Amino acid sequence: MLALSYIKSVPRYLLIRALAPSLPQISTSFLSSLQLKKVTTPTLPGKEWIRINTHLSGICGSDIATIQAKGSFYLSPFVSFPFVFGHEVVGTVSQVGTEVLSTQVGERVVIEPNLSCEVRGISSCPQCQKGNYGNCENVTLGDIAPGLQTGYCQTTGGGWSSELVAHQLQVHRVPDKLSDEEAVLIEPFSCAIHGVLKANLQGDETVMVIGCGVIGLLTIAAIRALGYKSRVLAIAKYPHQEELAQVLGADYVFRYSKNIHQEISKFLDSKIYQPDLGKPVLASGVDCTFDCVATSNSIDDSLRFTRANGKVVLVGMPAIPEGIDWTAMWYKELQIIGAYTYGTEIYQGEKIRTFTLALRLMEQQDGLLKSLITGHYKLQDYRQALKAAMNSKQSKSIKTVFDLR
């Protein structure tokens, strides 16, 4: 089958890392580790596994970071090469193992990508026992190759191909009411929901969402879908992001500029001070900041924009942060909360998997979030697809997907 796979090559990686900042197109060229080629169709690893034919598969910021060689080496031991990208997937079940109980051929499903202990056929680690499947301690063990998620594991394949395999515990049936375009957003929507619930909001706070790409916009949508009445401020880079942030429930959207600190301090009626060197310092700030960009600049700003004893939730996937002044974290006694993927939540007194909650809340959106899908591309047009995803200003892209229907 035809697939977009990623090979391990140190020379190619170093070349892309050095040249991509000034020559972006090189990251998808023949010199890169990303290759469109025929690969062996993955086999079912066990009797509880399922084969899925891909309908749509999203391009995630983590995929782009890998392709552009921007990511941290921290997670490199937990990946198996070569792997097929694609962890945001909606498709149709085409084959089920003999011990699959709850899924039938022909059902439309989304995949919960985490490759946790039970998926791997081993006894649950302490994190999996608590329902923290994204924090599994055994992602290199068991019946399948190493991999944190589907889309970064050699055994499972990924959504940037016509077929992949998933354990029955990873599969969630898509309600008939939801379109494929809504269903392919369930994975990033689950990330946003998980981040919002991590903040333990009460509903009367002022919160800031930094970044209005797909994760930032879905974080705004999640705050509203979960029923919080908090005052939501957001920072967007581009006009199309600003417009969508308002549609999804932001009360006020700032456009990012060199004067953003002064604009926010004035809006919040906070005193602002200019140190001898560096960015301005706000005396107060918002109650909670969701950083949905996770660059050095945005993390540093998150600390500055949050009041003393407030919270900062890192929802975006960080690259290799440099130059962050952590003085605010110490001085303001901030709570810094990481929000990685999803697992099990407590919502309105109910213990529920994040994906199940995301599907339920998506049904209540009446198609509103479908507008975040801004580009469909065939697999063969991957260079154009990735160019659109990497250049939101020019393409006005929010979520770009590969369409294999």
Side-chain angles (χ1 to χ4, degrees), residues 181-405:
E181 283 73 15
E182 291 168 288
V184 79
L185 290 170
I186 291 298
E187 195 277 342
F189 193 33
S190 295
C191 291
I193 290 169
H194 183 64
V196 172
L197 291 176
K198 276 274 191 178
N200 193 28
L201 299 176
Q202 302 303 305
D204 57 352
E205 304 94 336
T206 295
V207 304
M208 173 72 76
V209 176
I210 296 182
C212 288
V214 69
I215 289 295
L217 291 170
L218 287 173
T219 296
I220 295 169
I223 292 169
R224 297 310 185 207
L226 290 164
Y228 295 114
K229 304 300 182 184
S230 309
R231 181 170 66 158
V232 178
L233 313 179
I235 300 176
K237 287 185 72 174
Y238 309 122
H240 68 284
Q241 296 175 338
E242 179 181 0
E243 181 180 343
L244 282 168
Q246 292 171 336
V247 169
L248 294 176
D251 294 294
Y252 190 87
V253 184
F254 299 90
R255 288 285 297 282
Y256 186 80
S257 73
K258 63 180 180 180
N259 297 318
I260 189 68
H261 302 83
Q262 289 80 3
E263 292 177 22
I264 289 173
S265 68
K266 182 178 180 180
F267 185 90
L268 296 175
D269 195 25
S270 168
K271 291 181 181 179
I272 188 169
Y273 302 92
Q274 182 61 53
D276 293 334
L277 291 172
K279 296 179 183 178
V281 175
L282 276 66
S284 59
V286 299
D287 300 296
C288 179
T289 299
F290 295 93
D291 185 346
C292 300
V293 181
T295 62
S296 297
N297 193 49
S298 68
I299 295 173
D300 192 66
D301 282 343
S302 296
L303 303 177
R304 293 171 188 272
F305 294 151
T306 309
R307 66 160 173 82
N309 296 293
K311 301 173 185 176
V312 174
V313 184
L314 301 180
V315 186
M317 178 182 176
I320 305 173
E322 299 174 355
I324 300 171
D325 187 342
W326 291 99
T327 303
M329 191 263 303
W330 163 77
Y331 178 67
K332 294 183 178 180
E333 298 186 337
L334 300 177
Q335 297 180 52
I336 311 299
I337 302 168
Y340 172 69
T341 67
Y342 20 74
T344 304
E345 316 290 352
I346 302 296
Y347 175 64
Q348 295 184 343
E350 178 185 6
K351 189 175 183 180
I352 185 172
R353 287 185 86 112
T354 322
F355 257 64
T356 303
L357 178 58
L359 283 161
R360 181 187 300 175
L361 295 176
M362 184 69 81
E363 281 193 278
Q364 298 171 10
Q365 299 303 299
D366 294 325
L368 178 63
L369 298 183
K370 187 164 57 175
S371 62
L372 300 186
I373 305 295
T374 50
H376 294 69
Y377 291 85
K378 297 300 181 185
L379 210 58
Q380 295 87 338
D381 299 324
Y382 73 95
R383 288 192 174 97
Q384 295 95 308
L386 290 166
K387 182 179 179 181
M390 294 173 184
N391 295 278
S392 179
K393 181 179 181 179
Q394 295 176 349
S395 65
K396 297 184 179 181
S397 171
I398 298 295
K399 173 60 70 175
T400 302
V401 299
F402 288 112
D403 192 334
L404 292 104
R405 292 176 290 192

Side-chain angles (χ1 to χ4, degrees), residues 10-116:
V10 173
R12 289 173 185 263
Y13 176 88
L14 293 175
L15 179 69
I16 301 305
R17 191 174 182 88
L19 296 182
S22 58
L23 194 66
Q25 61 269 31
I26 198 173
S27 62
T28 59
S29 73
F30 70 95
L31 295 171
S32 73
S33 293
L34 179 67
Q35 299 183 348
L36 179 66
K37 62 181 182 179
K38 287 188 176 181
V39 301
T40 303
T41 303
T43 58
L44 297 184
K47 297 178 181 180
E48 297 179 343
W49 285 73
I50 293 165
R51 184 179 307 282
I52 297 164
N53 291 343
T54 306
H55 290 188
L56 301 177
S57 186
I59 298 175
C60 175
S62 62
D63 301 324
I64 292 173
T66 301
I67 291 166
Q68 294 184 320
K70 289 183 176 179
S72 166
F73 289 106
Y74 185 92
L75 300 177
S76 61
F78 312 128
V79 176
S80 50
F81 298 88
F83 60 80
V84 176
F85 280 108
H87 59 275
E88 302 172 359
V89 185
V90 55
T92 298
V93 175
S94 60
Q95 180 187 358
V96 297
T98 56
E99 294 184 7
V100 172
L101 302 176
S102 57
T103 305
Q104 299 179 351
V105 170
E107 287 186 333
R108 194 165 54 113
V109 297
V110 292
I111 297 170
E112 183 175 344
N114 288 334
L115 299 173
S116 55

